[in-house]
Amino acid sequence: MRKILLTLLFAVAGILAARAQLRLTLDDAVTLALSENPTIRIAELEVTRYDYVKRQTWGALLPQVTVGGQLNHTFIKQNMSKGFSLGGDQYNTLSGTVDATMPLFAPTVYRTLRLNDTQMAAAVEAARATRIGLVAEVRKAFYNILLAEQSLAVLHESEATVRRTVEDTELRYRNGLASEYDLLTAQVQLSNLRPSILQTENSIKVAVRLLKMYLSIPEEIAVEVAGELDALRDAVLEGTDGLSTDISQNSDLRSLELQEELLTRQLKVANASRWPTVGLFGNFTVSGNNMGSFDMRTMTTVQDGYYWQNPLYAGVQVSIPLFSGLTKMNRSRELKNQIAQVGLQRSYARDQIDVEVRTALNDLLTARETMFAQEKTVEQARKAYGIADTRYRAGAGTILELNSAQLAQTQAQLSFSQAIYDYLSAKADYDRIIGREL
């Protein structure tokens, strides 16, 4: 049902073309990415592929039947000693065969079936890792857009404030209440804001393109994200619940564990190739030719139609491998070597991931405390700007004090939003590291 709704949504958007605009919440973006991103489809197809691989292995335990036929026409017959031959000058030979085999004891196939189960589990884990990684990237891209939009709003607010100061200073300058230096200083500060605004607008466009790529949304469809970054403050306060250093569900570690198990299964398959195999076989053949039969009384060939034969045989075949040039022994040694390598990689990866998860936790707590500090700084900066603005308009303060207070207020607001983004981004990385699926 969800895919139908998404398909209908894209169809309507395609009809609207340039006017189409898609408004997405974070949950909508994650859901759309998990259903439309090509990497997810590839991972799902890989899981399906290993299902077919296992069915192929099962097929090796079923009877194998082949049917064949042949028609021969003899243009020049073969003569025996002294020109003696049987049959007419030209004759036809017809034959048809049915061959059947069926394994009774095939240890390599049995071990390969267990190997296929591990391959399937590895493919499922790889698909899970793809989903977890994609969700983390979509979340960070979504938060990045919110941060850029929040920063743009702060810069526009700052621009409006500075423009008002420029207009007031220009009016005071005309009335002789302010110096030309004050006017120029205010105008310079206003001009300095423009590059930051343009850069932020461009960063929004880039962030939106990145999100579209993750969601497989066509370029002609406009995308708008729902929500405000500063409104996620409560999510930051609640986000420290349930944090731990448990990395048992980390996808990289689980993949290495499955890789080690896969190599162990391959070793068992290699060792099983040294065991005997037992199977049934059978053959049924129908053949006939019109070369004629030989009459011993007249010592001549009689053309009396086709002569048919239908032999049938069946039996049991046992195959015991004795010597294969040490290839099987060296193959086992190679696999044992690879198992030892993966074991070392898994141990080292566990240490690395443990450092990563502790670093992510530290980043979370640091960003949370930074947000608290910046929240107070924003209140103080606004109060300081209000005092500086009042002093400047009363003629008791300077333009430098006002500009400094306004800059400090803008910086505090941007730092507050940045702290929220840092926390949310670190939380997305933390969820990816511990292998949490949303």
Side-chain angles (χ1 to χ4, degrees):
M1 183 65 181
R2 186 182 66 192
K3 284 185 174 287
I4 297 176
L5 291 176
L6 291 174
T7 303
L8 181 60
L9 179 62
F10 281 140
V12 173
I15 295 175
L16 296 178
R19 294 185 302 168
Q21 184 165 347
L22 194 60
R23 182 175 176 83
L24 296 173
T25 64
L26 179 58
D27 291 339
D28 294 335
V30 171
T31 301
L32 193 57
L34 291 178
S35 62
E36 299 298 324
N37 189 276
T39 59
I40 299 298
R41 295 183 179 181
I42 293 172
E44 293 174 349
L45 289 174
E46 185 69 5
V47 174
T48 305
R49 184 178 76 86
Y50 277 108
D51 181 56
Y52 296 144
V53 170
K54 185 174 182 179
R55 294 185 185 187
Q56 293 178 49
T57 306
W58 269 110
L61 297 176
L62 301 178
Q64 309 294 316
V65 181
T66 59
V67 178
Q70 188 174 1
L71 168 63
N72 292 333
H73 178 74
T74 302
F75 292 93
I76 300 177
K77 65 180 180 179
Q78 181 178 2
N79 295 324
M80 291 183 284
S81 177
K82 298 181 180 180
F84 181 75
S85 64
L86 295 176
D89 291 339
Q90 296 182 359
Y91 59 89
N92 297 322
T93 300
L94 298 175
S95 64
T97 60
V98 178
D99 289 297
T101 59
M102 180 177 178
L104 295 179
F105 179 69
T108 302
V109 178
Y110 307 145
R111 293 294 174 85
T112 303
L113 284 173
R114 295 188 177 182
L115 172 65
N116 295 150
D117 291 336
T118 306
Q119 290 174 328
M120 174 67 77
V124 171
E125 183 59 35
R128 175 176 171 271
T130 301
R131 291 195 301 271
I132 292 175
L134 180 63
V135 168
E137 294 301 323
V138 169
R139 290 169 65 189
K140 290 197 291 185
F142 192 93
Y143 296 144
N144 194 24
I145 296 175
L146 291 181
L147 174 63
E149 290 180 345
Q150 186 71 41
S151 300
L152 184 62
V154 170
L155 290 174
H156 279 313
E157 181 182 354
S158 178
E159 183 184 34
T161 301
V162 174
R163 180 174 285 109
R164 181 171 60 86
T165 300
V166 171
E167 293 173 353
D168 291 345
T169 304
E170 184 177 5
L171 181 60
R172 296 180 62 189
Y173 170 71
R174 290 177 181 176
N175 294 326
L177 300 177
S179 66
E180 185 179 6
Y181 172 79
D182 292 343
L183 178 59
L184 292 175
T185 301
Q187 291 174 340
V188 168
Q189 186 178 15
L190 179 62
S191 300
N192 287 337
L193 285 174
R194 195 57 192 166
S196 299
I197 292 175
L198 294 175
Q199 183 178 5
T200 305
E201 290 175 345
N202 289 332
S203 66
I204 293 176
K205 295 178 181 178
V206 173
V208 169
R209 289 195 187 98
L210 182 62
L211 183 63
K212 284 183 178 181
M213 182 193 71
Y214 288 139
L215 307 186
S216 298
I217 296 178
E219 182 64 27
E220 61 271 11
I221 298 179
V223 171
E224 178 185 359
V225 296
E228 295 181 358
L229 188 67
D230 289 356
L232 297 176
R233 172 186 177 277
D234 294 338
V236 175
L237 298 178
E238 299 172 358
T240 54
D241 298 337
L243 298 180
S244 69
T245 58
D246 181 18
I247 57 176
S248 60
Q249 296 301 312
N250 179 270
S251 188
D252 293 337
L253 283 180
R254 293 182 62 173
S255 296
L256 286 173
E257 291 172 357
L258 287 170
Q259 184 179 351
E260 186 174 7
E261 182 181 352
L262 186 63
L263 290 170
T264 303
R265 295 292 185 189
Q266 290 179 352
L267 178 61
K268 292 182 178 181
V269 171
N271 292 335
S273 64
R274 303 177 182 180
W275 296 1
T277 58
V278 181
L280 295 176
F281 68 91
N283 176 272
F284 176 70
T285 303
V286 176
S287 62
N289 59 69
N290 63 345
M291 64 182 298
S293 57
F294 188 73
D295 190 347
M296 298 298 296
R297 293 175 300 175
T298 61
M299 301 300 290
T300 59
T301 300
V302 180
Q303 298 296 333
D304 52 1
Y306 278 85
Y307 174 66
W308 296 98
Q309 301 182 70
N310 53 352
L312 171 66
Y313 63 89
V316 178
Q317 182 179 14
V318 179
S319 176
I320 304 176
L322 295 179
F323 183 71
S324 58
L326 303 180
T327 57
K328 295 180 180 179
M329 180 183 67
N330 288 317
R331 173 59 177 166
S332 297
R333 290 177 177 176
E334 177 192 0
L335 290 170
K336 290 178 181 178
N337 181 282
Q338 290 180 300
I339 292 173
Q341 291 183 46
V342 174
L344 293 173
Q345 291 177 6
R346 184 160 58 89
S347 177
Y348 186 60
R350 182 177 294 277
D351 294 338
Q352 285 183 312
I353 295 170
D354 184 68
V355 173
E356 290 180 8
V357 72
R358 293 181 185 277
T359 301
L361 284 173
N362 183 66
D363 292 340
L364 283 172
L365 297 177
T366 301
R368 188 168 181 263
E369 294 303 320
T370 301
M371 187 199 73
F372 286 144
Q374 290 299 327
E375 190 172 25
K376 295 180 181 179
T377 303
V378 169
E379 295 177 1
Q380 295 169 349
R382 286 176 178 172
K383 184 176 180 180
Y385 174 77
I387 295 174
D389 184 60
T390 302
R391 282 172 49 84
Y392 176 72
R393 296 182 187 283
T398 65
I399 188 67
L400 294 179
E401 292 177 354
L402 182 62
N403 289 345
S404 179
Q406 193 278 329
L407 182 62
Q409 175 181 290
T410 301
Q411 187 61 47
Q413 290 174 326
L414 293 176
S415 298
F416 175 70
S417 299
Q418 183 68 46
I420 296 177
Y421 169 80
D422 290 341
Y423 179 90
L424 296 173
S425 179
K427 185 63 165 55
D429 287 331
Y430 169 79
D431 291 337
R432 175 186 57 80
I433 293 171
I434 66 172
R436 177 179 295 170
E437 290 191 80
L438 300 179

